Amino acid sequence: MLKEIKYILLMLLFGQIAYTQVVHESAVVDTKKSNWYMNNYKGPVKSSFWYYTFIIDPIPFAVSNSSNIQSYARHSIMLQNRTALGGGVYEEFDSKGRLTKSIAMDKDGSHFEKSELDNKTASIYMYNEMDVDKKNKIKLKKRQIYPVYDHNILVKPNYKRPYDRGYGSDTLNYRYDYILDKKGRIVKEINYGRSTLPFTESEYIYDDHDNVSILKIITKQKEPTPFHFLDTETGFCPDLHVAYEYDNKDRMTQVTYYGCKDTLAFEKYVYHPEKEYITERTRFIKSSMRGVEHVTPTMIFYHNENGDIIEKKFVRSYPNQYLGASSIALRESIFYKYEYDKYSNWIKCYIYMVGKPEDSEPTAIAQRDLEYYDS
């Protein structure tokens, strides 16, 4: 009996050691699976184009029945569901999985049916291969998990963005430099943005498990522009930093944004008890300077095994708080149901804004056309 107990304890110990072994993966941000880019793709994606195929008409939760309000309400529905559908309406990736093109909207801005794209809203990404090869040698202790907001501690490649907005063309150059310690860990990120002089300098502080615990952010400008983080922005306070928390499996459980002796925003994660994915994500933003879909300071996003949002919940700040968003009256939750392809990427999204999928009809339906390198 004693031998059996020892054997079980040994196996449990081995399992724990195997689980916490260092995962040597590239620390370069994965633009296909990133909360920052609002991307969640699997497989050899070449391009993606999403658009609405159905929106309820008239909209029953519009604040009035006037034609103008109905039009505004339709647009508001699209804004409220952008988090679930993705950042760019159209995106392209190279064969190495890097984002090379992102277009924000179609020609008429309605995103309804597959129509001509507005290339004036396009962002083009051109990478320096020598820079990428060098930065790919910087390794992560563990893999990137969507939708963890780890973008700021990941390595960003240098890139160029040519653009033409109709009043002259130009090319913007974005540059990020990194300083490593003897262990190969990042100790500083110097962000030049699109300037020849540094914009910010971030200092990495590690815990006893070699996880980044604090990221100190210092402006390098005399008249700095606001710093953006977690869908909000703030000026540069002397104590501006981000704190990261982890569980006993070294998985990130909370990201907290501090400044001016206050908590400005945070996002915390609940993992599935057995499988390696996030089931629940709570985001808090104190300031009113937040995205239009962030109706209340606190919101909860529930995710399925594929990483997609199945419920977006607005947490009321006080009882009976009116949940209004630009010409529409919202319920407490918006629900989503999906159809998937062989790579577990959604190709059709059913949006429910007046009830759960089992007891209501969809408010809107979106489709996503995906092209792959292997087909």
Side-chain angles (χ1 to χ4, degrees), residues 141 185 205-213 244 246 250:
K141 179 181 178 180
R185 305 178 306 183
I205 298 174
Y206 294 84
D207 63 18
D208 294 337
H209 296 269
D210 279 343
N211 295 312
V212 179
S213 59
Y244 300 89
Y246 305 84
D250 286 334

Side-chain angles (χ1 to χ4, degrees), residues 11-265:
M11 292 303 292
L12 287 172
L13 178 61
F14 176 80
Q16 182 66 18
I17 292 172
Y19 190 96
T20 57
Q21 281 179 339
V22 174
V23 178
H24 293 293
E25 293 196 350
S26 170
V28 175
V29 60
D30 183 354
T31 52
K32 281 204 310 182
K33 294 178 69 65
S34 169
N35 196 341
W36 171 273
Y37 291 94
M38 291 196 290
N39 285 338
N40 178 29
Y41 294 105
K42 281 79 72 177
V45 176
K46 186 176 183 180
S47 67
S48 171
F49 189 176
W50 68 257
Y51 49 91
Y52 285 89
T53 57
F54 169 78
I55 296 178
I56 193 169
D57 186 22
I59 298 167
F61 47 89
V63 294
S64 86
N65 289 322
S66 73
S67 59
N68 284 342
I69 293 296
Q70 286 286 322
S71 177
Y72 292 143
R74 182 188 182 96
H75 181 65
S76 189
I77 285 174
M78 294 177 181
L79 290 176
Q80 282 303 314
N81 295 297
R82 183 169 169 264
T83 305
L85 300 181
V89 171
Y90 176 82
E91 290 180 315
E92 288 181 3
F93 298 87
D94 65 17
S95 59
K96 296 180 180 179
R98 298 175 300 198
L99 181 65
T100 55
K101 186 175 185 177
S102 180
I103 298 178
M105 62 181 61
D106 57 16
K107 210 66 171 171
D108 63 3
S110 74
H111 307 329
F112 194 76
E113 298 183 342
K114 194 170 185 177
S115 59
E116 185 181 356
L117 293 163
D118 184 0
N119 278 288
K120 288 184 178 180
T121 67
S123 293
I124 309 294
Y125 301 85
M126 300 171 61
Y127 302 97
N128 181 312
E129 294 299 334
M130 289 182 63
D131 172 73
V132 173
D133 289 344
K134 179 181 177 182
K135 287 175 177 174
N136 271 327
K137 293 176 183 176
I138 304 174
K139 300 300 181 181
L140 271 182
K141 179 181 178 180
K142 50 190 170 297
R143 63 183 54 86
Q144 299 173 40
I145 299 177
Y146 177 86
V148 168
Y149 202 89
D150 54 3
H151 180 267
N152 288 66
I153 61 173
L154 296 175
V155 174
K156 275 73 75 177
N158 298 342
Y159 62 92
K160 294 181 179 181
R161 274 184 57 187
Y163 75 95
D164 185 350
R165 297 293 188 261
Y167 45 81
S169 59
D170 198 357
T171 298
L172 303 177
N173 294 283
Y174 292 81
R175 174 184 162 193
Y176 302 86
D177 288 347
Y178 294 88
I179 299 173
L180 309 182
D181 64 12
K182 292 180 180 180
K183 293 183 178 180
R185 305 178 306 183
I186 304 169
V187 292
K188 280 188 180 180
E189 176 193 82
I190 304 168
N191 175 9
Y192 289 82
R194 58 194 192 204
S195 175
T196 55
L197 297 174
F199 170 57
T200 58
E201 184 176 287
S202 299
E203 180 184 354
Y204 292 60
I205 298 174
Y206 294 84
D207 63 18
D208 294 337
H209 296 269
D210 279 343
N211 295 312
V212 179
S213 59
I214 294 176
L215 189 71
K216 291 184 177 180
I217 305 156
I218 304 166
T219 181
K220 305 298 286 184
Q221 296 179 323
K222 292 182 179 179
E223 297 180 0
T225 56
F227 186 78
H228 294 262
F229 189 85
L230 269 180
D231 204 19
T232 186
E233 63 179 47
T234 185
F236 280 89
C237 306
D239 60 344
L240 194 67
H241 69 279
V242 181
Y244 300 89
E245 298 175 33
Y246 305 84
D247 62 14
N248 58 7
K249 295 180 179 179
D250 286 334
R251 300 177 302 189
M252 197 176 290
T253 56
Q254 185 158 330
V255 181
T256 307
Y257 186 35
Y258 290 103
C260 301
K261 301 179 180 179
D262 200 2
T263 298
L264 305 172

